Amino acid sequence: MNQRIQLASIDDQRNTEAREAVRQRISWPANLTPANVTYHSRGHALLIGPESDLAAAARALHGRGLASLTLLITEPATSEPSDQAVGSIGASEPLVAQTLSSHQLSQLRIDGYLGAFSVQIDDGEAPIDLARALIERDGFDLILDLAASTHSQRWELPPPGYVVMQWQDAKQRAESLESFVGLVGEFDKPRYFQVNSDLCAHSTSGNIGCTRCLDVCPADAIASIQGRIESHIEVDPYLCQGVGSCTSACPTGAIEFRLPETRRQQDTLSVWLKAYREAGGQAPVLRFITHDSQDAERAAGSIPAGHVIDAPLEELGAAGHDQWLTALAAGASEVRVQLHPDMPARLSAFLTDQVDQAHALLDALGHERARVTLVDIADLAARDALPTLMPLTDVPLNLPEPDKRARLNRVLARLAELGAPSGERTVMPTGAAYGAIQVDRDACTLCHACVSNCPTPALKSGTDQPALSFLEADCVQCGLCEQACPENAITLMPGFLASDARTERHICHEEAAFECVSCGKPFATVSTVATIKQKLANHPYFAGDAMVRLEMCEDCRVKDVWKTMIRDPNAQLKV
């Protein structure tokens, strides 16, 4: 189960040859999504920053192919004459300069992306559109921000076309300016993600449930859009930069990469490990790394040890704890996630949370936490370290299920077979999609509002008699059932149950059916009829003998109404 490796038995040359055999036989699924998002930039540039820096930047951009330069001055230059003053710039491009007061700077709001930036000052009831006011255009095409720390606009991951730099950093200056002037023309990129609203646990019946994708996107590309009745998730393809944390955080698979799909990555991990073993490799370590980091290592001539197999990603968020555990269940000794510089704060927090979830699950299933680790930037020793534990298995893992949750449950079942589950409910990090519900039988009327609002098969109605059943393995703790219950009879119980009971459906509440007093047809539960009679006791429509209608099925109730109207045509006017 958790046997230690005899280090002397590891043959690095043999492992290197096995790894190369895997690479030649099976390629990692690439993002083959057609480029169907197009940016159009005509080169109308906005520069934001102190006057002295803007003057130098404007000179550096002079004659570089930009259509116009607009300078938003956040700090005026000193009163002494200076050849760095904006007024002394001799630019061939149209140039406009505007100084912002400290109050205006605090009200500055920037939205959009390459070719379509809206820049406004929200000062009072009539916002000032700076592009319309200064250059008579609908927006700016690109923005160079030299004052990101002084105004209220903040992005963890700036949108395409928004370049942030420190002018005093000479090395960054040259690279940033070169990148900036290249943002003129037409550019295509993939529409990375697709959303399946049928699987989404975000909203139903006007209630808000899961917000995990909204919480982890560092590009602010995901929004909750309010419809006529309920909200839905939308991904702005122009802001999305393929970080992938949303698809890893989504517990149902409602958001996923268009190509490659998450399941293809999982299948490839299992196939790689099988091929590695067949080629004679020992104690494989799966390392998740970005393409850029992998290219940088190769350029520096830094080749990982033979037992380290790299899974290259667009960004580390594209693989979460479900894929890491898949690798362990398919025969990897360890999983290592290679961090890289300049990671957005929300991505770093997301990875830490995913590691915490993986560790909690490994604890619950009787495995060691050391099997999943983060590798610090440029920590070659940690990257190449020999694993201290034997692989859990050498049997390939098949994941035929199309649904993300079903595949995860199969992975957890394999890890449970290979470990020693605690049989207890383990505390998980806040927001983890594991847990149960507690149903107050005295309050529940089996109205099944919870069933109709549940986005997964976790909650189901009874068949032969009124009942409510629950399968914990399918519960993603979205809370929609709890909010939908009119009797407040449902309470969420977060935590991972390391027991077979998690995969067994059980009855939360059941009652005998109430039979129609007229025809004998069962149509509701005893408690439902009692509750309705209590709530409608003072309603004129059910006054007196008419109260018995609440004990009738829908057909008999209508018949009784018509009989009353035939006997007394004016009865309906008395209500």
Side-chain angles (χ1 to χ4, degrees), residues 53-95:
D53 291 346
L54 289 186
R59 286 189 175 83
L61 294 172
H62 169 62
R64 300 288 296 274
L66 297 175
S68 69
L69 291 173
T70 301
L71 313 185
L72 278 190
I73 301 171
T74 60
E75 297 177 27
T78 58
S79 57
E80 293 91 5
S82 170
D83 59 1
Q84 294 296 312
V86 168
S88 64
I89 299 174
S92 57
E93 304 88 353
L95 187 147

Side-chain angles (χ1 to χ4, degrees), residues 157-160 189 192-193 219 221 236-244 314-315:
L157 191 60
K189 81 172 180 66
Y192 292 104
F193 297 102
D236 187 330
Y238 291 94
L239 294 179
C240 175
Q241 299 183 51
V243 172
E314 293 286 339
E315 184 49 89

Side-chain angles (χ1 to χ4, degrees), residues 303-319:
I303 306 300
H307 59 277
V308 178
I309 304 175
D310 283 344
L313 305 170
E314 293 286 339
E315 184 49 89
L316 297 178

